[in-house]
Amino acid sequence: FVVGLAVAPGTAFANLRLGLVHRTLAMAAKDEASSAAEMARCRVLIDRALQLQPKFSLARLWKAYLALDADKPDDAIAECQEIIRNDPRFYKAYATMGQAYFAKDDRAAAQSAYQRALAIRPDLAPAMYGLANIFGTERKYEIALRYARRATDTDPGYMGAWQMHGTLALELAKESGADSEELGALIEEAIECYSKALDLDPRSADNFMERSKLYRLVGKLRQAGADARNATLFGANDPYAWNVLGEYLLAAGFHGEAVDAFAKTVE
């Protein structure tokens, strides 16, 4: 990209792509000062891309993403609105605006934005995820779970959607009652969701923790123990991982080892 800019310094796309390289470097930086410096370079290059091509929707969308990362949802909304003025069918702008409105706790506006995105692009998994999140926070778990299922069916490589799907299946299971035939099926569905998430990232301590708790809930202690130990392997400094291991050991009757695991949680 640096060579590309040297050859054609007036290319908006090259400026954007180099800016995103600096964003990647910022995320990988080992200290806050280095990260801040890389992000500053990123913003300068994206702004330069927009100076060269003011209606460059992709560059403006990245400005919206950066505003969300900086916890500035109003700025993100403003960028998305500018995109839509130039390109009313740019579905990613509506989905991003939904995310920004949700960050402002304006669920009605967020829902409207996500639905507009789906009207243009019916297979847009992030918009389905967003609607699942909205209905889930409103405890409308059946509707939320339907959207989460659509998201994972549409994009099986979307880890966040699998995690949302698993969470909502469990929440609906809790509401179904202990004697309900639906209970076991929903818990198994939640287990399968975290298994799918682990297929995407076999080193995810969070997914091992969640699946361990589900296995323990249905009395599959051997599987719960294996997942709990993997959670502490990949999340050695995560107190929640050690707590999940302690809960498994307690359920399995290993009281002394449970005390040690809970001590690690406190430590």
Side-chain angles (χ1 to χ4, degrees), residues 50 54-65 75-97:
L50 284 167
K55 293 184 179 182
F56 188 7
S57 295
L58 189 58
R60 199 165 293 282
L61 184 68
W62 272 103
K63 282 201 73 173
Y65 291 153
D75 291 352
I77 291 166
E79 297 293 348
C80 291
Q81 288 172 336
E82 181 63 24
I83 294 169
I84 292 164
R85 273 192 287 273
N86 296 320
D87 184 358
R89 293 189 61 78
F90 196 94
Y91 56 88
K92 289 184 179 180
Y94 290 104
T96 305
M97 193 156 55

Side-chain angles (χ1 to χ4, degrees), residues 26-241:
M27 295 171 67
K30 295 182 179 180
D31 59 82
E32 290 186 12
S34 298
S35 178
E38 295 292 352
M39 283 304 302
R41 296 185 186 101
C42 170
R43 292 188 178 92
V44 166
L45 286 160
I46 292 176
D47 285 340
R48 186 179 300 162
L50 284 167
Q51 288 168 3
L52 293 166
Q53 189 177 331
K55 293 184 179 182
F56 188 7
S57 295
L58 189 58
R60 199 165 293 282
L61 184 68
W62 272 103
K63 282 201 73 173
Y65 291 153
L66 294 179
L68 281 173
D69 288 345
D71 196 24
K72 296 179 179 179
D74 288 324
D75 291 352
I77 291 166
E79 297 293 348
C80 291
Q81 288 172 336
E82 181 63 24
I83 294 169
I84 292 164
R85 273 192 287 273
N86 296 320
D87 184 358
R89 293 189 61 78
F90 196 94
Y91 56 88
K92 289 184 179 180
Y94 290 104
T96 305
M97 193 156 55
Q99 188 179 349
Y101 276 123
F102 186 80
K104 286 168 58 70
D105 202 27
D106 188 342
R107 297 177 192 174
Q111 185 176 336
S112 177
Y114 284 132
Q115 288 174 332
R116 178 61 178 144
L118 287 172
I120 300 169
R121 180 72 183 268
D123 63 344
L124 188 61
M128 299 171 196
Y129 173 96
L131 288 168
N133 199 16
I134 290 170
F135 286 112
T137 57
E138 294 175 350
R139 301 179 65 86
K140 297 173 182 175
Y141 295 127
E142 184 175 356
I143 300 171
L145 182 55
R146 290 183 186 279
Y147 277 114
R149 285 169 175 160
R150 282 183 61 194
T152 53
D153 287 345
T154 301
D155 185 358
Y158 187 174
M159 183 188 292
W162 283 114
Q163 293 169 324
M164 176 70 74
H165 186 164
T167 298
L168 291 168
L170 177 59
E171 291 301 326
L172 191 58
K174 290 175 182 177
E175 290 197 342
S176 67
D179 298 326
S180 169
E181 293 182 5
E182 189 181 22
L183 176 66
L186 284 168
I187 292 176
E188 288 300 323
E189 181 177 349
I191 288 171
E192 178 66 12
C193 288
Y194 288 108
S195 297
K196 293 288 188 181
L198 283 164
D199 286 341
L200 296 172
D201 182 3
R203 297 172 57 87
S204 171
D206 288 340
N207 291 326
F208 275 120
M209 280 187 263
E210 295 303 321
R211 198 173 66 170
S212 177
K213 289 186 280 188
L214 289 163
Y215 277 137
R216 197 172 70 248
L217 190 62
V218 295
K220 296 183 178 180
L221 291 182
R222 182 182 63 79
Q223 294 94 324
D227 277 1
R229 294 189 188 283
N230 281 329
T232 59
L233 174 65
F234 298 120
N237 296 319
D238 189 335
Y240 293 99

Side-chain angles (χ1 to χ4, degrees), residues 6-20:
V7 174
T11 304
F13 186 77
N15 277 277
L16 171 63
R17 294 303 298 168
L18 182 57
L20 297 182

